[in-house]
């Protein structure tokens, strides 16, 4: 009886009775009668030995069934339900009403209770934030969106008008060049931006086309992993979360590990970021040579461009979260959306400084939770010059051995740090979670999962690959067929081990501290080196059908949506959970996940396309024009400060340096300039200016002019 009255610790049942198997078999809704019979059996078995035992009534057994069901299906939070009551009732009235209704179902030592909160209650007249006066900050944000919308309309109409009358605006068979202000206005054109977004043209021999497929597939993997968690939100209305939780025990087989351990998808983006950053920067440093001024400009723009490139779009989408989402729908758990908006208003400055996950009270900040990635990405970008600058100068003075030695020392230092943290704090694999004897000593206020110092390894592997691709960009690399097969197999097995290697530990629930530490220490290196071989092989012509698939032209436009899709998809996820799912009871099933993955991914991509066309691409062009004009002025390039295009710098470089560059080198120069803003998850402006009528200057082009 004491065991039955203390149902919060289910493990005690497992220790004291063999009937736990029958309890587990009774989880599904259709076996309520079996569950009641199990309870009766346990009473029969243990109750007689207790002198204070009182046989429960049938109503009390039903109450225990309800408590068991709720307890077993509320591992993440309390089981919730959305219901309608008279508008005159408040939250306390509803709670007291349930106390009366449940009185006959409660045992002397066992009480069911319902908890209600005012924040979760609403009326038809006040279903969301639209019932309240709009705060001034919301009005300000909506005004900005109105201005952007006006610019988009004017720019699009101007672009359409010029396109229709292009043949008439000709002087001496050459089109009249737009003024600087006209170029700024046309940066917002849906027509030119849409053309660039939908372009599937390959970047050429110097472009890493295989990253398009890798980027989009990784983004899809992230969305799938987050949608899988949707039924487990306490407000989702899912009745059988225990069924979903059973998947975490490995009950559905090895194939589910790709869903349960989707964490390497984020490491893929860190790897791609390091690859593109290094590939571009080594090229820029080599071009700068001994020109100190150009080195300074390259260094400054490395930071300025990256911050502006990420932050403008980030801030505008945060504005959508604050001033738009709380008003567009409603539901029993819509307070989650409103609460996030309020958190963003409070902590916005931390996000724009990229320190939101590093503060001591970071757990209070629920604004755009997925942006922990941007904190890591920005910090990696801040500190990456301490890796590739020494690599570059060591290579110039001592050769590749010295350069690679420096990379090895840095990577080894961070790997040792990861090992030390995981060993001393007894960390299990993140994909499995709590395990007996592990995860007992972690006391840092920055979660290990979010900690930049624990995630730098994939970025460093990307730097190494970028270094290799830069130095081999004009060279043909022939790989023996047998060696190629062996390396592909090694890459596949390493990646497979990272994703599926902990399956047995998931089933047994056991893992030694040494095994867990070794896995946590080297799994990101193994994953990143696997991807590095895939990219290197594809770029150098040994990728075969893998390269054909990853470089498929359809991935080009989709990969340009990944940044905005990443920023908004979790909000779409939460909106679905806090409205539709919390309004109606539902049962978890695999088809449930498939349905919502398809719908949420599709909706997120559509919203991302809108944000890309109206936020990301226009302001990227504006930034290039403004910074290009500023740099042109500072560098004394008055004649060319606004007239260069993506292809013009190649001609300028050719004329000024008087180098005999062959056609292949010209293509690679163009590709590298296009890659200047195609880094990791934010590379949505890949070949941004490729098909537009007016092409803003690239930073390298302006510095080349001096």
């Amino acid at each position: 009886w004491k065991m039955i009255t203390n149902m919060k610790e289910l493990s005690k049942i497992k220790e004291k009775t063999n009937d736990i198997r029958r309890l587990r078999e009774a989880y599904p809704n259709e076996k309520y009668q079996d569950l009641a019979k199990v309870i009766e059996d346990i009473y029969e078995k243990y109750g007689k030995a207790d002198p204070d035992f009182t046989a429960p009534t049938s109503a009390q057994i039903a109450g225990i069934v309800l408590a068991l069901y709720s307890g077993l299906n509320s591992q993440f939070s309390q089981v919730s339900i959305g219901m309608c009551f008279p508008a005159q009732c408040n939250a306390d009235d509803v709670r007291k009403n349930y106390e009366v209704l449940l009185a006959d179902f409660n045992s002397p030592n066992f009480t069911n209770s319902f908890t209600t909160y005012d924040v979760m209650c609403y009326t038809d007249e006040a279903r969301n934030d639209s019932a309240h006066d709009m705060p001034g900050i919301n009005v300000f944000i909506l005004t900005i969106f109105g201005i952007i919308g006006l610019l988009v309309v004017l720019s699009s109409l101007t672009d359409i008008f010029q396109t229709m009358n292009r043949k008439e605006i000709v002087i001496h068979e050459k089109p009249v060049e737009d003024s600087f202000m006209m170029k700024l206005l046309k940066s917002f054109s849906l027509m030119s931006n849409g053309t660039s977004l939908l372009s599937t043209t390959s970047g050429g021999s110097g472009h890493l086309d295989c990253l398009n497929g890798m980027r989009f597939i990784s983004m899809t993997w992230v969305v799938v992993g987050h949608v899988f968690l949707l039924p487990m939100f306490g407000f989702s209305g899912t009745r059988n979360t225990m069924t979903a939780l059973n998947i975490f025990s490995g009950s559905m087989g090895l194939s589910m590990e790709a869903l349960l351990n989707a964490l390497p998808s984020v490491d893929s983006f860190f790897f791609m970021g390091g690859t593109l950053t290094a590939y571009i920067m080594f090229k820029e440093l080599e071009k700068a040579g001994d020109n100190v001024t150009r080195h300074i400009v390259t260094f400054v723009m490395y930071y300025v461009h990256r911050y502006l490139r990420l932050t403008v779009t980030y801030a505008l989408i945060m504005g959508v979260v604050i001033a738009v989402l709380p008003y567009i729908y409603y539901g029993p758990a819509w307070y989650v959306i409103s609460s996030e908006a309020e958190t963003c208003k409070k902590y916005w400055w931390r996000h724009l400084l990229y320190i939101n996950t590093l503060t001591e009270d970071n757990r209070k900040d629920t604004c755009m939770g997925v942006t922990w990635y941007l904190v890591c990405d920005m910090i990696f970008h801040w500190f990456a010059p301490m890796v590739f600058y020494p690599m570059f100068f060591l290579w110039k003075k001592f050769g590749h051995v010295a350069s690679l030695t420096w990379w090895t020392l840095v990577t080894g230092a961070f790997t040792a740090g990861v090992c030390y943290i995981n060993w001393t704090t007894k960390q299990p694999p993140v994909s499995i979670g709590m395990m007996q004897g592990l995860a007992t000593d972690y006391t840092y206020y920055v979660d290990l999962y979010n900690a930049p110092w624990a995630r730098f390894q994939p970025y460093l592997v990307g730097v190494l690959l970028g270094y290799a691709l830069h130095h081999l960009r004009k060279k043909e690399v022939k790989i023996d067929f047998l060696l190629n097969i062996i390396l592909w197999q090694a890459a596949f097995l390493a990646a497979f081990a990272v994703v599926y290697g902990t399956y047995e530990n998931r089933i047994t629930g056991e893992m030694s501290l040494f095994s867990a530490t070794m896995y946590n220490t080297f799994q990101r290196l193994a994953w990143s080196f696997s991807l590095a071989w895939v990219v290197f092989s594809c770029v150098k012509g040994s990728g075969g059908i893998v390269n054909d698939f990853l470089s498929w032209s359809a991935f080009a436009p989709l990969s340009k949506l990944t940044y905005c899709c990443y920023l908004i998809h979790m909000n779409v996820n939460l909106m679905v959970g806090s409205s539709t799912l919390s309004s109606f009871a539902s049962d978890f099933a695999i088809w449930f996940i498939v349905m919502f993955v398809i719908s949420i991914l599709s909706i997120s991509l559509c919203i991302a396309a809108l944000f890309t066309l109206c936020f990301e691409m226009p302001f990227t062009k504006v930034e290039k024009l403004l910074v290009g004009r500023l740099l042109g002025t500072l560098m004394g390039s008055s004649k060319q400060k606004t007239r260069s295009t993506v292809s013009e710098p190649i001609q300028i470089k050719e004329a000024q340096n008087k180098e005999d560059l062959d056609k292949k080198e010209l293509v690679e120069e163009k590709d590298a300039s296009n890659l200047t803003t195609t880094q990791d998850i934010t590379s949505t402006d890949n070949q941004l200016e490729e098909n537009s009528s007016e092409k803003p200057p690239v930073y390298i082009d302006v510095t080349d002019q001096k």
Side-chain angles (χ1 to χ4, degrees):
W1 170 247
K2 292 179 180 179
M3 176 184 66
I4 295 299
T5 58
N6 187 16
M7 299 306 297
K8 292 183 179 180
E9 298 186 37
L10 297 177
S11 61
K12 292 185 178 180
I13 297 180
K14 185 176 181 180
E15 295 172 3
K16 297 184 178 182
T17 178
N18 293 327
D19 293 327
I20 189 64
R21 290 187 177 180
R22 296 183 63 189
L23 281 173
R24 290 192 172 185
E25 292 173 357
Y27 288 168
N29 302 341
E30 64 269 20
K31 295 185 179 180
Y32 277 166
Q33 292 181 349
D34 290 350
L35 183 57
K37 185 63 171 61
V38 169
I39 294 173
E40 290 177 345
D41 290 346
I42 296 177
Y43 273 126
E44 181 70 19
K45 186 173 183 178
Y46 295 102
K48 292 181 178 180
D50 191 339
D52 299 325
F53 171 72
T54 301
T57 64
S58 58
Q60 289 173 335
I61 289 180
I64 296 175
V65 170
L66 175 63
L68 275 173
Y69 174 77
S70 300
L72 296 173
N73 286 282
S74 62
Q75 299 301 302
F76 282 95
S77 60
Q78 293 179 336
V79 174
S80 63
I81 185 172
M83 296 185 68
C84 293
F85 295 89
Q88 291 77 10
C89 297
N90 57 34
D92 192 55
D93 294 332
V94 175
R95 180 184 58 79
K96 291 179 179 178
N97 183 59
Y98 272 108
E99 286 182 359
V100 175
L101 290 174
L102 291 169
D104 292 338
F105 297 89
N106 293 330
S107 306
N109 299 313
F110 196 97
T111 302
N112 281 291
S113 63
F114 273 75
T115 304
T116 53
Y117 303 95
D118 286 318
V119 70
M120 300 175 67
C121 299
Y122 64 93
T123 63
D124 276 342
E125 293 75 22
R127 295 186 293 187
N128 56 32
D129 287 9
S130 60
H132 313 296
D133 293 334
M134 185 172 290
I137 182 63
N138 292 27
V139 175
F140 174 73
I141 292 172
L142 292 176
T143 301
I144 293 177
F145 290 159
I147 294 172
I148 293 175
L150 180 62
L151 288 173
V152 169
V153 172
L154 292 177
S155 177
S156 301
L157 292 176
T158 301
D159 204 1
I160 293 172
F161 176 79
Q162 286 191 350
T163 301
M164 294 174 62
N165 297 275
R166 190 174 301 279
K167 294 182 180 180
E168 301 177 9
I169 311 176
V170 175
I171 299 177
H172 301 301
E173 299 181 355
K174 292 184 179 179
V176 175
E177 185 174 353
D178 288 331
S179 66
F180 181 75
M181 294 304 297
M182 180 60 72
K183 289 180 180 180
L184 286 176
L185 175 62
K186 289 176 65 177
S187 297
F188 292 84
S189 171
L190 286 178
M191 188 173 75
S192 60
N193 289 336
T195 301
S196 298
L197 176 62
L198 297 176
S199 173
T200 60
T201 305
S202 173
S205 61
H207 187 69
L208 313 181
D209 290 318
C210 61
L211 292 186
N212 291 336
M214 188 176 292
R215 188 177 296 114
F216 179 72
I217 292 171
S218 298
M219 178 69 251
T220 303
W221 199 4
V222 170
V223 174
V224 171
H226 286 157
V227 173
F228 174 69
L229 298 177
L230 182 60
M232 300 176 199
F233 294 154
F235 53 77
S236 67
T238 305
R239 296 181 295 191
N240 62 336
T241 55
M242 198 62 190
T243 302
L245 288 174
N246 280 339
I247 297 178
F248 283 94
S249 67
S251 61
M252 294 192 68
L254 183 67
S255 60
M256 292 301 296
E257 287 299 296
L259 180 61
L260 300 176
N261 190 7
L263 308 181
S265 59
V266 182
D267 294 319
S268 300
F269 285 114
F270 290 136
F271 160 76
M272 287 185 280
T275 299
L276 289 170
T277 298
Y279 182 65
I280 295 164
M281 286 305 298
F282 283 125
K283 196 178 191 72
E284 295 301 293
L285 294 176
E286 192 170 334
K287 287 181 180 179
D290 297 326
N291 189 328
V292 177
T293 302
R294 178 160 181 172
H295 274 295
I296 294 174
V297 171
T298 300
F299 182 78
V300 172
M301 290 312 306
Y302 172 84
Y303 288 102
V304 172
H305 170 65
R306 185 61 169 178
Y307 182 81
L308 295 177
R309 175 71 180 82
L310 291 182
T311 308
V312 174
T313 303
Y314 183 7
L316 289 172
I317 293 180
M318 187 185 297
V320 173
V321 173
I322 293 173
V324 177
L325 298 189
Y327 302 95
I328 62 176
Y329 202 63
Y330 60 93
W334 200 251
Y335 70 93
V336 173
I337 308 301
S338 301
S339 175
E340 182 180 13
E342 293 302 316
T343 306
C344 289
K345 292 178 186 178
K346 183 177 181 180
Y347 296 114
W348 62 270
W349 59 275
R350 293 183 180 180
H351 288 256
L352 300 189
L353 291 177
Y354 298 94
I355 60 172
N356 47 293
T357 62
L358 306 179
T359 57
E360 190 167 357
D361 60 344
N362 66 85
R363 297 177 189 274
K364 298 179 181 179
D365 185 356
T366 58
C367 173
M368 301 180 70
V370 295
T371 56
W372 69 266
Y373 166 86
L374 295 183
V375 176
C376 292
D377 182 82
M378 185 61 75
I379 290 177
F380 296 164
H381 197 78
W382 289 344
F383 288 96
M386 290 189 288
V387 180
F388 55 71
Y389 265 94
M391 288 181 69
F392 172 75
F393 289 112
L394 285 171
W395 165 73
K396 284 192 67 177
K397 191 167 185 179
F398 302 107
H400 293 301
V401 174
S403 181
L404 295 178
T405 299
W406 172 252
W407 178 89
T408 302
L409 290 174
V410 173
T411 305
F414 275 95
T415 301
V418 172
C419 181
Y420 174 80
I421 293 174
N422 280 275
W423 177 266
T424 56
T425 61
K426 303 179 181 179
Q427 292 299 302
V430 177
S431 60
I432 297 180
M434 299 293 290
M435 301 184 74
Q436 186 175 1
L438 299 178
T440 57
D441 297 328
Y442 190 79
T443 58
Y444 304 121
Y445 57 82
V446 180
D447 287 339
L448 185 63
Y449 182 78
N450 300 339
W453 47 86
R455 284 189 167 272
F456 199 28
Q457 293 164 303
Y459 198 92
L460 289 170
V461 175
V463 170
L464 179 63
L465 177 62
Y467 177 88
L469 292 176
H470 165 67
H471 287 285
L472 296 173
R473 71 187 187 280
K474 300 177 183 179
K475 300 176 182 178
E476 183 179 1
V477 178
K478 293 184 178 181
I479 303 174
D480 179 75
F481 178 79
L482 180 59
L483 178 61
N484 189 37
I485 295 297
I486 293 174
L487 291 174
W488 271 101
Q489 288 181 336
F492 171 79
L493 291 175
F496 186 90
V498 170
V499 177
Y500 297 94
T502 57
Y503 174 66
E504 290 296 328
N505 305 102
R506 187 185 301 280
I507 293 177
T508 61
E510 299 176 354
M511 194 174 195
S512 68
L513 176 59
F514 177 79
S515 298
T517 301
M518 291 301 99
Y519 178 83
N520 289 332
T521 301
F522 296 106
Q523 55 111 348
R524 290 190 174 95
L525 284 175
W527 179 259
S528 303
F529 275 114
S530 297
L531 296 184
W533 168 250
V534 172
V535 175
F536 183 85
S537 182
C538 289
V539 171
K540 291 303 176 182
S542 301
I545 59 173
V546 176
N547 181 53
D548 294 338
F549 175 69
L550 294 178
S551 302
W552 183 31
S553 59
F555 284 133
L558 291 172
S559 69
K560 300 170 190 175
L561 302 177
T562 51
Y563 183 37
C564 290
C565 184
Y566 180 81
L567 289 178
I568 200 62
H569 82 277
M570 200 60 188
N571 296 93
V572 176
N573 209 14
L574 289 174
M575 287 190 288
V576 171
S578 59
S579 58
T580 305
L581 288 183
S582 61
S583 300
F584 307 97
S586 59
D587 294 316
F588 172 85
I590 294 300
W591 67 266
F592 177 99
I593 296 299
V594 173
M595 177 179 67
F596 279 98
V597 163
I598 295 173
S599 58
I600 290 176
L601 178 61
S602 300
I603 294 171
S604 299
L605 287 173
C606 290
I607 298 174
L610 177 65
F611 289 168
T612 301
L613 290 172
C614 297
F615 295 164
E616 186 177 3
M617 298 179 81
F619 284 99
T620 298
K621 289 184 177 182
V622 168
E623 177 220 346
K624 286 185 177 183
L625 285 167
L626 293 177
V627 177
R629 167 66 72 91
L630 176 63
L631 286 180
T633 301
L634 293 177
M635 301 301 290
S637 180
S638 59
K639 293 184 179 181
Q640 299 290 339
K641 60 185 175 183
T642 62
R643 295 171 57 187
S644 60
T645 65
V646 171
S647 60
E648 286 176 343
I650 303 167
Q651 300 168 0
I652 294 170
K653 181 177 180 65
E654 183 179 29
Q656 292 180 345
N657 296 334
K658 298 180 181 180
E659 297 177 352
D660 296 327
L661 300 177
D662 58 23
K663 184 177 180 180
K664 178 178 179 181
E665 289 174 318
L666 291 177
V667 173
E668 290 181 343
E669 290 288 334
K670 181 177 179 180
D671 297 334
S673 64
N674 283 337
L675 276 169
T676 302
T677 54
T678 58
Q679 296 178 21
D680 57 73
I681 197 172
T682 66
S683 61
T684 57
D685 58 10
N686 183 8
Q687 303 171 13
L688 187 62
E689 275 56 75
E690 195 165 328
N691 295 310
S692 59
S693 57
E694 296 298 334
K695 304 180 181 181
V698 180
Y699 303 134
I700 173 180
D701 305 338
V702 180
T703 57
D704 270 339
Q705 291 171 10
K706 184 172 182 179

